[in-house]
Amino acid sequence: MAYPNTMYGSTNPETQISPEVQQWFSTVDRDGSGRITAIELKSALANGQGGTFSDTACRLMIGMFDKEKNGTIDLFEFQALYNYINAWLDVFRGFDHDNSGSIQENELNAALTQMGYRLSREFISFLIKKSDPTGHSTITIDQFIVLCVQIQRFTDAFRIRDNEQTGIITIGFEDFLGVALNCSV
Amino acid sequence: MAYPNTMYGSTNPETQISPEVQQWFSTVDRDGSGRITAIELKSALANGQGGTFSDTACRLMIGMFDKEKNGTIDLFEFQALYNYINAWLDVFRGFDHDNSGSIQENELNAALTQMGYRLSREFISFLIKKSDPTGHSTITIDQFIVLCVQIQRFTDAFRIRDNEQTGIITIGFEDFLGVALNCSV
């Protein structure tokens, strides 16, 4: 199979919320509405390099769980997102040996393989080129997270249409357009 | 057919460049490199409401023609893009009867139908909701252009895989992922 078999983390209200997550969420959710926006998310998350994630990254992250399409997520969705991001950051750090905040093409390939993807070398080159149009052939931690969110969302959309897990789907125009637009910023 | 049969405007160097387009391009391309970026594009284009397009809109527009994925377009691509945008603005203005800079759901449906798309009412509702998460059920001129660029790009990607023009395609995981990522910001 060309993609991993994991689905989104649990957003079940029975899920145990860690005290750290609870505290972060409460700090950010100033009006106590119980839901946070991409802008609030940005202020809550460190990117592991002493900075914050880009607006694009934050909007894509909110979009992973924002089922009502109102641009917000609740505490349980935040917990699931937090788990995702930390897992991705762990993978990234594992390949960023000099802690420079960026990884090379070979390392991106190894990182995605570790995450369960089986992608061609041409495709990895395309990913690097798309993420870093300046031609340095490296990918930063922020670009990596954006890529992980996008790949995760498109993979989930593909998987639910790939009933027999063949890695090939048949899809109509409107459905295709909906998936594509739904997972884009 | 659920989608129109037009492809991208001509980017053939034989194409006649209008003096207006030539002048705009030259003004923006200050270093005379012959290629402009999304940021330069933003300074070149008025959105027809006395403002400029958003960064997202400009990056998506560059991406329509940026075959080398280096974030720039040349004069001929700019001419083609300019023609697209003006055609879309004409459609928008035709439905924005009070010149308010925004149109309603019914008008968006009529606009997309005029452009050759056959989309369900549910899908139009989804488009409005995605474009305007504040729930006003209207779409601004900037949101409309972003939507047109995205729909155009995904439609072209779909069409070249829909050899028999049935409105249904069969697509593998990596190809799907590539299309989806390639047409996203």
Side-chain angles (χ1 to χ4, degrees):
Chain A
M1 184 52 66
Y3 53 86
N5 202 23
T6 55
M7 283 292 277
Y8 280 179
S10 171
T11 56
N12 190 318
E14 301 291 316
T15 304
Q16 189 74 33
I17 302 293
S18 81
E20 187 182 34
V21 167
Q22 175 74 64
Q23 190 182 336
W24 276 13
F25 190 89
S26 301
T27 305
V28 169
D29 180 29
R30 291 192 182 149
D31 62 358
S33 67
R35 304 192 69 86
I36 60 171
T37 66
I39 294 164
E40 291 169 332
L41 179 66
K42 185 172 180 171
S43 71
L45 292 174
N47 71 5
Q49 287 288 312
T52 57
F53 289 108
S54 66
D55 291 348
T56 299
C58 291
R59 285 171 61 194
L60 281 169
M61 287 191 253
I62 290 282
M64 276 180 69
F65 295 104
D66 176 23
K67 290 179 185 63
E68 298 88 13
K69 301 288 159 226
N70 58 9
T72 63
I73 57 172
D74 68 18
L75 174 62
F76 299 97
E77 292 163 342
F78 179 75
Q79 166 83 67
L81 176 59
Y82 181 89
N83 293 343
Y84 261 95
I85 294 167
N86 278 316
W88 290 331
L89 290 178
D90 281 346
V91 172
F92 186 91
R93 289 198 202 98
F95 290 99
D96 180 22
H97 302 297
D98 58 357
N99 198 31
S100 64
S102 68
I103 59 174
Q104 312 282 319
E105 188 169 322
N106 279 339
E107 294 161 338
L108 176 63
N109 186 34
L112 291 171
T113 300
Q114 183 177 315
M115 290 159 68
Y117 292 96
R118 299 287 173 271
L119 301 167
S120 69
R121 292 313 296 252
E122 292 72 28
F123 196 79
I124 299 290
S125 294
F126 155 76
L127 291 179
I128 287 272
K129 200 163 186 181
K130 179 184 153 57
S131 292
D132 181 25
T134 61
H136 291 105
S137 297
T138 60
I139 186 164
T140 65
I141 201 161
D142 191 86
Q143 290 164 342
F144 180 75
I145 294 293
V146 168
L147 198 57
C148 287
V149 177
Q150 290 186 310
I151 290 177
Q152 180 77 42
R153 292 183 63 178
F154 287 123
T155 300
D156 287 337
F158 189 91
R159 186 190 299 106
I160 60 172
R161 288 163 179 79
D162 185 15
N163 294 323
E164 293 169 19
Q165 305 275 301
T166 56
I168 297 170
I169 60 170
T170 297
I171 187 167
F173 175 69
E174 189 171 286
D175 190 20
F176 176 83
L177 195 55
V179 168
L181 290 171
N182 211 16
C183 300
S184 304
V185 169
Chain B
M1 185 51 68
Y3 53 86
N5 203 23
T6 55
M7 283 291 275
Y8 280 179
S10 170
T11 56
N12 190 318
E14 302 291 316
T15 304
Q16 189 73 35
I17 302 293
S18 81
E20 186 182 35
V21 165
Q22 176 73 66
Q23 190 184 334
W24 276 13
F25 191 88
S26 301
T27 306
V28 169
D29 180 29
R30 291 193 183 150
D31 61 357
S33 67
R35 304 191 68 86
I36 60 171
T37 66
I39 294 165
E40 291 170 332
L41 179 66
K42 186 171 178 171
S43 71
L45 292 175
N47 70 6
Q49 287 289 309
T52 56
F53 289 109
S54 66
D55 291 349
T56 298
C58 292
R59 285 171 61 195
L60 280 168
M61 286 191 254
I62 290 282
M64 274 180 71
F65 295 103
D66 175 24
K67 290 179 184 63
E68 298 88 14
K69 301 290 158 225
N70 58 9
T72 64
I73 57 173
D74 68 17
L75 174 62
F76 300 96
E77 293 164 340
F78 179 74
Q79 166 84 65
L81 176 58
Y82 181 88
N83 293 343
Y84 260 96
I85 294 167
N86 278 316
W88 290 332
L89 289 179
D90 281 346
V91 172
F92 187 91
R93 290 197 201 101
F95 290 101
D96 181 22
H97 302 297
D98 59 356
N99 198 29
S100 64
S102 67
I103 59 173
Q104 313 281 321
E105 189 169 323
N106 278 339
E107 294 161 337
L108 176 63
N109 186 34
L112 291 170
T113 300
Q114 183 177 316
M115 290 161 67
Y117 291 97
R118 300 286 174 272
L119 301 167
S120 69
R121 293 313 297 251
E122 292 71 29
F123 196 78
I124 300 290
S125 294
F126 155 76
L127 291 180
I128 286 273
K129 200 164 185 180
K130 176 182 155 55
S131 294
D132 180 26
T134 60
H136 291 105
S137 297
T138 61
I139 186 164
T140 65
I141 201 161
D142 192 86
Q143 291 164 342
F144 180 75
I145 295 294
V146 168
L147 197 58
C148 286
V149 177
Q150 290 185 310
I151 290 177
Q152 179 77 43
R153 292 184 63 179
F154 287 123
T155 300
D156 287 337
F158 189 91
R159 186 191 300 106
I160 60 172
R161 289 162 178 80
D162 185 16
N163 295 322
E164 294 170 16
Q165 305 276 301
T166 57
I168 298 170
I169 60 170
T170 297
I171 187 167
F173 175 69
E174 190 171 284
D175 190 20
F176 177 83
L177 195 55
V179 168
L181 290 171
N182 212 14
C183 300
S184 304
V185 169

